[in-house]
């Protein structure tokens, strides 16, 4: 039996009745009524990879708020927490204050460049594997298949009139979908408060109204987007399919139907071969259409609806295995490789596709034929994206490692700018803000630099005026002090002099300073 023995092939392949929702001959206006899609379960490498990504992303989402991280007695012990009340963001060992929001902005810029990089290398991998819409639709489909069966059973059930069985199946499915949706909304708000206490509060009607409102809104959106609207969200609502085209070029890997070896497709190879017609590898079984969660036919070429989930690759590889043909009739391929192979199959465009030009006598692809050339991943575009991503990452890392955990800010009194005391000396008032950004109390020293004859005193600190003040700071808090600096009239040598407030933590040697002005009347 040779690999190209037609007696074992096409009759052995299950034919699926599946029509793409957007085939040119039935294409409807943009907001046409939806045609229901009943994706068949796929098996294969990409499906397994998708299961893995789904498991990891769902685990991260649902489990993260429950992770604890010991920050001592003065800070929350939730590993990831957006503490709105105290205006802090905790991420494991990192604590971000509102004035350090540049770190979050930097992370978003990094995520943007990362997305550009991934898209330019492997097309819409984000859409196909990791986008929340994709992950939750996949999860909802798992439930649907478990209750209603695979594609054919679901089509049959959908067409059947409502009876007790159909009602029971539909109610069970929607009830589980709603439970998932509630869990999804519930998990989201746990990122904004202590998860265990909020969880108890939610069930004992002790949580704030906004918590219930947020859960309700997210439950509704998860249920509607993941269960009811599914692929319509990607096709009509998401801007990413429109934007991503700008990041693709002829060397980007995208899911491609290799018609240079698949066409002319035929369900009846023997007849076609006997008639002397060329026969491609595609047996027109529609398995690729039946598994597609977007309901499209990749054989119609690149389409906006395709999220590059690669399930059609799995489906077609299964068919090719049964036919004892090379896998990869549908594969990740670059336009450059595709064009090269197409030129071979069409004798540089001088004839229709003749697959024998790319196959040997045994039906296998010729040695020079390639579907994927991974060296094309490294090219100027991807290098620029990678360089930008790395630079932002390094800058963020540097900023994170060197950021101040002790800060001083000073505001000079404007009205009055100075006061002449009874002994003729001049006094200026300052509002000094001391920021302790660690979750431990600190004893710091504020000292004056410049104005050698000046001394300072602070409201609420009963110490004689001097050039140094000992101050205690609460953990993770801002302390505001009213400080007066005075110097004798004889020391004034201009209407504006400068001085520096230096704050130092003697135990950690952390220090910060602020230069301010000292105002006086003209001498
Ligand atoms: S491309 Fe593959 S899965 Fe799709 S119809 Fe052809 S043989 Fe079947
Ligand atoms: S055509 Fe293939 S890759 Fe594109 S969405 Fe459908 S199954 Fe996924």
């Amino acid at each position: 039996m040779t690999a190209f023995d037609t007696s074992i092939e096409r009759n052995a392949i299950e034919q699926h009745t599946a029509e793409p929702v957007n085939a040119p001959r039935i294409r409807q206006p943009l907001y046409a009524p939806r045609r229901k899609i009943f994706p068949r379960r796929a098996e294969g490498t990409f499906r397994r990879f998708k299961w893995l990504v789904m498991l990891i992303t769902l685990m991260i989402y649902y489990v993260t708020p429950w992770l604890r991280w010991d920050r001592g007695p003065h800070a929350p012990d939730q590993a990831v927490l957006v503490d709105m009340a105290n205006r802090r963001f905790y991420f494991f060992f990192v604590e971000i204050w509102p004035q350090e929001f540049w770190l979050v902005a930097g992370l978003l810029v990094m995520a943007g460049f990362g997305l550009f990089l991934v898209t330019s290398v492997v097309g819409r991998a984000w859409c196909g594997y990791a986008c929340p819409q994709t992950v939750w639709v996949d999860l909802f489909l798992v439930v649907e298949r478990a209750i209603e069966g695979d594609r054919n059973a679901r089509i049959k059930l959908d067409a059947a009139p409502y009876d007790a069985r159909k009602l029971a199946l539909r109610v069970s499915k929607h009830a589980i979908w709603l439970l998932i949706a509630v869990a999804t909304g519930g998990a989201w708000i746990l990122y904004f408060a202590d998860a265990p206490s909020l969880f108890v509060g939610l069930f004992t009607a002790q949580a704030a109204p906004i918590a219930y409102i947020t859960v309700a809104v997210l439950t509704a959106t998860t249920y509607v987007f993941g269960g009811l609207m599914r692929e319509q969200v990607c096709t009509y609502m998401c801007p990413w399919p429109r934007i991503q085209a700008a990041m693709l070029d002829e060397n980007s890997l995208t899911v491609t139907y290799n018609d240079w070896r698949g066409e002319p497709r035929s369900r009846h190879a023997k007849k076609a071969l006997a008639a002397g017609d060329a026969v491609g590898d595609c047996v027109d079984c529609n398995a690729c259409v039946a598994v597609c969660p977007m309901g499209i036919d990749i054989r119609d070429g690149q389409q906006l609806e395709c999220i590059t989930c690669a399930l059609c690759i799995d489906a077609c590889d299964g068919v090719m295995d049964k036919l004892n043909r090379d896998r990869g009739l549908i594969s990740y391929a670059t336009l450059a490789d595709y064009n090269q192979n197409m030129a071979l199959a069409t004798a540089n465009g001088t004839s229709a596709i003749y697959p024998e030009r790319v196959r040997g006598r045994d039906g296998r692809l010729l040695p020079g034929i390639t579907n994927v050339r991974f060296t094309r991943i490294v090219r100027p575009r991807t290098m620029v994206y990678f360089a930008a991503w790395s630079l932002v990452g390094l800058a963020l890392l540097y900023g994170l490692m060197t950021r101040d955990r002790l800060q001083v800010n000073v505001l000079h009194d404007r009205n009055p700018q100075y006061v002449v005391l009874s002994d003729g000396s001049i006094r200026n008032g300052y509002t000094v803000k001391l920021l302790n950004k660690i979750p431990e109390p600190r004893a710091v020293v504020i000292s004056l630099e410049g104005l050698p004859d000046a001394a300072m005193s602070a409201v609420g600190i009963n110490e004689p005026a001097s050039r140094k003040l000992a101050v205690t700071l609460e953990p993770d808090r801002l302390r505001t002090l009213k400080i007066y600096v005075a110097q004798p009239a004889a020391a004034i040598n201009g209407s504006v002099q400068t001085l520096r407030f230096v704050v130092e933590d003697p135990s950690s040697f952390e220090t910060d300073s602020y230069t301010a002005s000292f105002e006086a009347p003209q001498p």
Side-chain angles (χ1 to χ4, degrees):
M1 180 178 75
T2 67
F4 205 48
D5 183 350
T6 53
S7 65
I8 60 143
E9 42 181 359
R10 313 202 173 216
N11 296 344
I13 300 300
E14 183 189 353
Q15 297 289 327
H16 299 273
T17 310
E19 189 172 35
V21 293
N22 66 348
R25 83 192 152 71
I26 53 162
R27 188 161 290 161
Q28 299 187 48
L30 191 57
Y31 294 104
R34 181 189 184 207
R35 292 183 61 204
K36 276 194 189 170
I37 298 168
F38 302 89
R40 185 169 156 255
R41 187 188 158 109
E43 307 282 351
T45 313
F46 291 103
R47 181 61 268 185
R48 282 194 292 277
F49 180 63
K50 266 173 76 72
W51 287 137
L52 185 70
V53 175
M54 179 182 159
L55 200 71
I56 292 171
T57 47
L58 288 175
M59 282 260 295
I60 290 174
Y61 179 72
Y62 289 117
V63 173
T64 301
W66 299 96
L67 299 179
R68 303 290 101 185
W69 190 266
D70 185 11
R71 300 186 181 89
H74 304 290
D77 66 348
Q78 188 156 314
V80 179
L81 177 67
V82 183
D83 186 352
M84 301 288 253
N86 296 303
R87 297 193 293 163
R88 300 281 190 288
F89 173 48
Y90 297 96
F91 186 80
F92 295 92
F93 61 92
V94 180
E95 179 189 346
I96 296 177
W97 285 57
Q99 53 269 62
E100 293 168 334
F101 197 75
W102 55 269
L103 275 168
V104 178
L107 279 178
L108 292 177
V109 172
M110 257 187 100
F113 279 124
L115 201 53
F116 295 170
L117 176 64
V118 169
T119 306
S120 67
V121 174
V122 279
R124 292 171 63 185
W126 162 258
C127 304
Y129 301 98
C131 169
Q133 174 66 15
T134 298
V135 170
W136 263 267
V137 167
D138 241 11
L139 180 63
F140 278 43
L141 273 170
V142 169
V143 174
E144 187 169 276
R145 275 194 206 104
I147 293 175
E148 297 181 351
D150 208 352
R151 176 182 161 83
N152 291 345
R154 300 207 306 280
I155 293 175
K156 211 167 140 197
L157 183 74
D158 195 61
Y162 266 95
D163 57 11
R165 179 178 169 271
K166 180 167 175 174
L167 197 65
L169 291 177
R170 286 282 151 95
V171 169
S172 316
K173 177 177 85 174
H174 287 276
I176 297 177
W177 280 0
L178 273 170
L179 270 179
I180 294 173
V182 172
T184 306
W188 177 255
I189 61 164
L190 298 183
Y191 284 86
F192 295 84
D194 179 59
S197 347
L198 180 55
F199 188 73
V200 174
L202 277 173
F203 285 97
T204 52
Q206 302 294 312
I210 187 68
Y212 293 101
I213 294 170
T214 309
V215 173
V217 170
L218 288 176
T219 300
T221 48
T222 308
Y223 173 73
V224 171
F225 290 175
L228 308 182
M229 291 183 68
R230 295 186 184 176
E231 77 289 346
Q232 291 186 297
V233 174
C234 310
T235 306
Y236 298 125
M237 293 170 65
C238 180
W240 187 233
R242 280 87 183 160
I243 298 167
Q244 53 111 31
M247 279 140 235
L248 298 177
D249 56 35
E250 68 277 12
N251 290 312
S252 303
L253 288 165
T254 52
V255 175
T256 307
Y257 169 60
N258 294 308
D259 49 359
W260 48 265
R261 60 170 277 205
E263 300 293 323
R265 67 188 78 163
S266 170
R267 294 184 179 190
H268 309 286
K270 267 206 253 181
K271 239 196 247 172
L273 284 171
D277 295 336
V279 176
D281 284 338
C282 177
V283 292
D284 203 16
C285 63
N286 284 331
C288 49
V289 183
V291 296
C292 178
M294 304 300 291
I296 61 172
D297 187 343
I298 192 66
R299 294 173 299 171
D300 293 336
Q302 296 294 326
Q303 293 150 75
L304 177 134
E305 291 91 339
C306 177
I307 56 171
T308 65
C309 66
L311 295 182
C312 52
I313 297 183
D314 279 342
C316 191
D317 279 350
V319 174
M320 292 299 109
D321 286 349
K322 284 184 191 156
L323 293 171
N324 202 16
R325 302 285 174 85
D326 288 299
R327 286 181 161 207
L329 173 54
I330 302 175
S331 69
Y332 269 104
T334 68
L335 186 61
D337 287 334
Y338 170 88
N339 285 340
Q340 198 174 315
N341 294 329
M342 181 56 99
L344 270 177
T346 59
N348 285 325
T350 56
S351 75
I353 295 169
Y354 190 63
E356 299 311 318
R357 292 194 182 108
V358 291
R359 289 196 297 233
R361 293 180 65 79
D362 59 356
R364 297 286 179 191
L365 293 176
L366 294 173
I369 302 292
T370 136
N371 288 331
V372 181
R373 223 167 296 188
F374 287 102
T375 46
R376 293 191 194 262
I377 289 172
V378 182
R379 55 187 195 276
R381 175 191 285 260
T382 55
M383 284 195 294
V384 167
Y385 286 148
F386 183 71
W389 181 83
S390 310
L391 279 177
V392 177
L394 287 173
L396 281 183
L397 200 62
Y398 177 77
L400 192 67
M401 306 303 281
T402 56
R403 68 194 171 137
D404 289 334
R405 309 311 287 143
L406 177 65
Q407 274 186 341
V408 58
N409 275 297
V410 179
L411 208 63
H412 189 283
D413 283 359
R414 287 287 132 219
N415 193 15
Q417 289 187 325
Y418 58 85
V419 171
V420 181
L421 300 179
S422 54
D423 61 357
S425 58
I426 309 297
R427 191 182 80 180
N428 279 208
Y430 302 88
T431 302
V432 176
K433 295 186 173 191
L434 298 164
L435 211 53
N436 175 20
K437 292 185 176 174
I438 62 168
E440 303 291 335
R442 295 203 207 223
V444 298
V445 177
I446 308 175
S447 47
L448 274 188
E449 276 186 11
L451 309 186
D453 298 313
M456 66 178 159
S457 57
V459 176
I461 297 178
N462 289 325
E463 282 181 29
S466 70
R467 294 184 62 83
K468 277 188 194 297
L469 274 178
V471 178
T472 53
L473 302 179
E474 284 182 47
D476 230 3
R477 284 283 174 273
L478 171 79
R479 181 166 181 189
T480 304
L481 286 174
K482 185 77 196 173
I483 289 184
Y484 292 110
V485 177
Q487 58 175 336
I492 308 294
N493 59 15
S495 62
V496 181
Q497 295 169 280
T498 54
L499 74 161
R500 241 159 49 104
F501 291 92
V502 179
V503 56
E504 187 188 4
D505 180 348
S507 60
S508 66
F509 302 108
E510 280 174 274
T511 178
D512 194 25
S513 64
Y514 195 98
T515 303
S517 61
F518 186 91
E519 315 267 345
Q522 288 290 346

